[in-house]
Amino acid sequence: PLRERNSLLLAGGFAPEYPSNDLHGPELAAILAAVRQVLQGHEPYPALVVDRTWTLIEANSAIERLTAGSDPALLEPPVNVLRLALHPDGMAPRIANLPEWRGHLLGRLHREATVAGDATLLELYDELRAYPGGEANSEPLSPAVPLRYRVDDQELSFISTTAVFGTPLDVTVSELAIEAFYPADASTAAALRV
């Protein structure tokens, strides 16, 4: 990762090679515009952008359907989307397959924290692991772990994809990830088009 490359260069007595610009600054205006276009184009399906610590950067309006009912304190910036998802006062009570989804998120976070050796991510992992929610009893039978989410009187089912910039030369850009949720069944697709 570019952040670690800069650290290695500094440790060797060299200047960092890769800039880390403000996403809302003029240098990254085209990047931010592209991200917003992706988010808007993904509606009516939920999509969001996070940084390397899973802090929410931007989201489309469809995300509000999933975060409704969460404690307002969890929605105050900076919002950590993993904390929001797994906290008992956040989205967790409405996740129908919480043990499975929780296991997926914790596994992903643990891999990222371990590979990067990032103390912030390791602390977040320990915090989230202490939340109630159970453990998945078996391997999922589907090709992707779905997010099964209760909204009002119906259950929506999503699969997700993660997109990153393929050729970043800026630390900030290299650490952005777009998480896009797609309907996993026809009833979810129909419910979201309403």
Side-chain angles (χ1 to χ4, degrees):
L2 301 186
R3 179 178 298 276
E4 283 73 24
R5 291 182 201 180
N6 279 348
S7 295
L8 287 172
L9 287 167
L10 284 169
F14 299 97
E17 184 174 344
Y18 302 99
S20 183
N21 290 295
D22 178 5
L23 182 60
H24 295 92
E27 298 87 354
L28 300 183
I31 297 294
L32 184 58
V35 164
R36 288 178 172 160
Q37 184 176 3
V38 169
L39 294 177
Q40 183 180 11
H42 193 65
E43 290 182 343
Y45 309 135
L48 52 88
V49 179
V50 294
D51 66 12
R52 71 181 182 87
T53 61
W54 291 87
T55 300
L56 180 66
I57 303 299
E58 301 243 347
N60 67 14
S61 62
I63 284 291
E64 294 171 9
R65 193 166 191 180
L66 300 181
T67 61
S70 297
D71 183 332
L74 292 169
L75 298 170
E76 286 293 319
V79 175
N80 182 282
V81 298
L82 295 182
R83 182 177 294 119
L84 176 62
L86 298 180
H87 195 284
D89 295 328
M91 297 166 60
R94 290 172 297 286
I95 298 175
N97 62 331
L98 182 58
E100 183 181 30
W101 187 250
R102 181 177 182 270
H104 161 69
L105 292 181
L106 289 175
R108 185 171 167 186
L109 176 60
H110 188 261
R111 282 187 302 280
E112 290 174 9
T114 303
V115 167
D118 189 309
T120 301
L121 291 179
L122 289 169
E123 287 175 21
L124 179 63
Y125 173 77
D126 289 339
E127 174 193 336
L128 300 180
R129 213 176 84 202
Y131 291 168
E135 301 290 330
N137 294 331
S138 62
E139 291 296 316
L141 300 175
S142 59
V145 176
L147 168 61
R148 293 186 8 247
Y149 200 76
R150 292 183 291 267
V151 175
D152 300 322
D153 61 345
Q154 64 187 149
E155 184 176 296
L156 305 177
S157 185
F158 298 96
I159 54 174
S160 68
T161 63
T162 303
V164 296
F165 284 90
T167 56
L169 294 175
D170 180 278
V171 174
T172 302
V173 176
S174 73
E175 295 175 343
L176 294 176
I178 300 171
E179 193 82 17
F181 293 87
Y182 292 87
D185 56 40
S187 62
T188 298
L192 292 172
R193 282 193 293 269
V194 174

